[in-house]
Amino acid sequence: YNVGLDTDASVQQLLPLRATAMGVSFIVAAYNIQKYVEACLASVLPCLRPQDELIVVNDGSVDSTPDIIAATLRDHPQAHLIHKANGGLSSARNAGLAHATKEHVLFLDGDDVVVPEVVCDMLRLLDTQNPDILVTDHVEWLDDGQGPLQPSVPRSHPAHQLSTDVSRNLIDTFKDGSPCVWSRFFRR
């Protein structure tokens, strides 16, 4: 893996310079989540194809989060760890985006866990359908690991249905009421 240091000024300098290549940049924002970050990364790493990259942004953690990330990513050349001063979630995501080189982006929080088989299905859809936005579903889990906090909210259209109607897709996305970036793949 590669380690970098970032500041807000360098993020602003990098944004216009990044070219995009085929694949997905998985961007994980991490701040003081030592309890969860290893499971997050362990769920993402099996999803990486040769053309993908994993960018983990340590947003100034003061616990053992950076050490856990470094140990987890040690043998993964497609993974990059960026250290920056704490600036909040948006700042961490922007720092990751500034370093991203792939056509599509998936943002994750460091306490998220993905289902690799589902992500593989989504990656196939990205490759074959090339959408601007691909919305996935999610389930929230209790911190004690005993099960779902709430089931996923049903989507406005049936699962596995692809639509090229941009207006309808935007309406459905907002109607679904899940204002998060971590359940969506975005084209840059």
Side-chain angles (χ1 to χ4, degrees):
Y1 78 100
N2 301 299
V3 177
L5 182 62
D6 204 3
T7 64
D8 290 334
S10 66
V11 168
Q12 295 305 317
Q13 292 172 347
L14 287 171
L15 284 172
L17 301 176
R18 289 288 168 195
T20 57
M22 295 299 291
V24 175
S25 296
F26 293 83
I27 299 174
V28 178
Y31 176 72
N32 289 348
I33 50 168
Q34 64 187 12
K35 182 177 175 181
Y36 308 102
V37 71
E38 187 174 3
C40 172
L41 300 176
S43 74
V44 174
L45 288 167
C47 303
L48 294 179
R49 306 166 299 173
Q51 67 267 35
D52 298 329
E53 65 187 354
L54 171 59
I55 300 168
V56 184
V57 181
N58 171 42
D59 191 32
S61 296
V62 295
D63 64 1
S64 63
T65 297
D67 297 330
I68 294 168
I69 295 168
T72 305
L73 301 183
R74 183 172 293 121
D75 298 323
H76 300 280
Q78 293 167 265
H80 311 279
L81 173 56
I82 299 166
H83 296 282
K84 63 178 288 309
N86 181 256
L89 183 57
S90 294
S91 173
R93 287 178 177 157
N94 285 337
L97 189 58
H99 287 83
T101 63
K102 305 304 178 178
E103 182 178 14
H104 289 94
V105 174
L106 175 64
F107 294 103
L108 297 166
D109 297 340
D111 61 352
D112 294 341
V113 176
V114 300
V115 178
E117 297 81 8
V118 173
V119 172
C120 287
D121 287 345
M122 298 299 104
L123 294 175
R124 279 192 287 281
L125 284 172
L126 287 175
D127 289 344
T128 60
Q129 303 298 319
N130 205 21
D132 290 333
I133 300 173
L134 180 59
V135 179
T136 64
D137 214 342
H138 68 279
V139 175
E140 296 178 24
W141 287 85
L142 296 171
D143 188 47
D144 63 8
Q146 296 302 307
L149 177 63
Q150 68 182 54
S152 301
V153 177
R155 299 293 171 223
S156 299
H157 51 276
H160 304 292
Q161 176 185 359
L162 298 175
S163 170
T164 57
D165 182 339
V166 174
S167 297
R168 183 69 198 174
N169 288 341
L170 285 173
I171 290 169
D172 285 348
T173 297
F174 288 115
K175 190 165 82 175
D176 288 339
S178 182
C180 56
V181 296
W182 40 254
S183 65
R184 292 155 171 78
F185 289 84
F186 297 97
R187 183 199 314 272
R188 296 182 55 205

